[in-house]
Amino acid sequence: MAGIGPGAADLITPRARLAIEQAEIVIGYRTYLDLVTDFLKPGQKVLSSSMMQEIDRCRKALELAESGGRVTMVCGGDPGIYAMAGLVFELARRNGCSPPIEIVPGVAALSSCAAVLGAPLTHDFASISLSDLLTPWETIEKRLHAAAQADFVIVLYNPRSKKRTSQIMRARGIILGYRPGETPVGMVSSASRTDESMRLSTLEDMPDEDIDMRTTVIVGNSRTFTWQNRMITPRGYRDKYGLG
Ligand code: SAH
């Protein structure tokens, strides 16, 4: 399984690129396959997920690998972060089949989005997906309370989709129970792609619009500050050593 990073061709690692180039069969969600068309080779078989859903896609990849095929499944970002790596292992364990499985890491959205914003993740952070398709909303709320209370910087994945519209403002409400309204919030959409955009706001003024499935939202901790349109969370150097 190869993570192809956030979108830009030069953020695909050489190892992920090699895994795609050397595959006999490449499987993936259409959007991700579109991002790697330049690396596909003429003789390769390409299976896109417009033909298959997630579980079927992973099952098919395992089946093909079991029968000796060299299969590479592509995922956006990192395959082990809110992506297919877990499901592939779950299915392999369930079926008692074990073709060799290699996970090639990728640049995750939290890294690429943090880089666009400046340095918001320099101290402890928690990552929470707001998608309640596979996780009960009560569990997500519990984690939001815990992370907010413990003063973690909070990365919000899957903040909003066409059908799931209320979660992001509910999350904001929960975090506001523990943090002041002026806490910085950074929003990055389509990091490293041609339509990349970033916006800084505060918990109080955080816009509901402009946030969709291509967006990652990062909420600062009690020490996070903004400077020259960047978002920065100090690690503590100033307190310990002074900065002159
Ligand atoms: N495996 C991926 C995450 C998939 S979940 C990874 O490691 O990054 C999908 C969510 O990831 C999106 O809803 C969005 O919150 C985030 N995301 C993925 N790519 C992004 C990008 N280029 N810019 C901003 N957010 C992104």
Side-chain angles (χ1 to χ4, degrees), residues 18-81:
L18 202 66
I20 295 166
E21 288 172 347
Q22 292 182 341
E24 290 157 354
I25 305 152
V26 182
I27 301 190
Y29 183 57
R30 163 80 28 229
T31 321
Y32 301 133
L33 287 171
D34 287 346
L35 292 169
V36 297
T37 42
D38 286 354
F39 307 139
L40 298 174
K41 297 264 170 312
Q44 283 175 324
K45 191 168 166 191
V46 178
L47 298 175
S48 89
S49 69
S50 38
M51 306 172 204
M52 282 173 287
Q53 290 308 306
E54 287 173 352
I55 298 182
D56 294 335
R57 202 187 325 156
C58 293
R59 240 186 225 132
K60 185 78 187 164
L62 281 171
E63 255 171 51
L64 291 165
E66 274 247 286
S67 51
R70 195 177 163 86
V71 186
T72 295
M73 179 178 260
V74 294
C75 296
D78 183 288
I81 300 184

Side-chain angles (χ1 to χ4, degrees), residues 130-179:
L130 296 187
S131 170
D132 55 1
L133 295 177
L134 299 171
T135 307
W137 178 250
E138 304 78 69
T139 305
I140 298 171
E141 278 200 339
K142 212 160 87 184
R143 290 178 183 163
L144 286 165
H145 278 284
Q149 189 191 21
D151 202 28
F152 282 104
V153 174
I154 303 175
V155 183
L156 298 172
Y157 268 85
N158 298 304
R160 194 182 212 273
S161 70
K162 285 200 185 94
K163 287 192 192 137
R164 288 185 309 99
T165 53
S166 62
Q167 282 84 352
I168 182 67
M169 283 299 140
R170 281 152 79 186
R172 167 186 172 269
I174 291 171
I175 302 169
L176 264 175
Y178 302 88
R179 291 185 199 178

Side-chain angles (χ1 to χ4, degrees), residues 6 76-78 81-83 108-109 113 156-159 188-191 193 213-216:
D78 183 288
I81 300 184
Y82 304 120
C113 294
L156 298 172
Y157 268 85
N158 298 304
V188 182
S189 293
S190 300
R193 300 183 193 166
M213 279 309 275
R214 293 163 307 167
T215 313
T216 298

Side-chain angles (χ1 to χ4, degrees), residues 102-114:
E102 186 193 352
I103 307 296
V104 180
V107 177
L110 61 82
S111 307
S112 56
C113 294

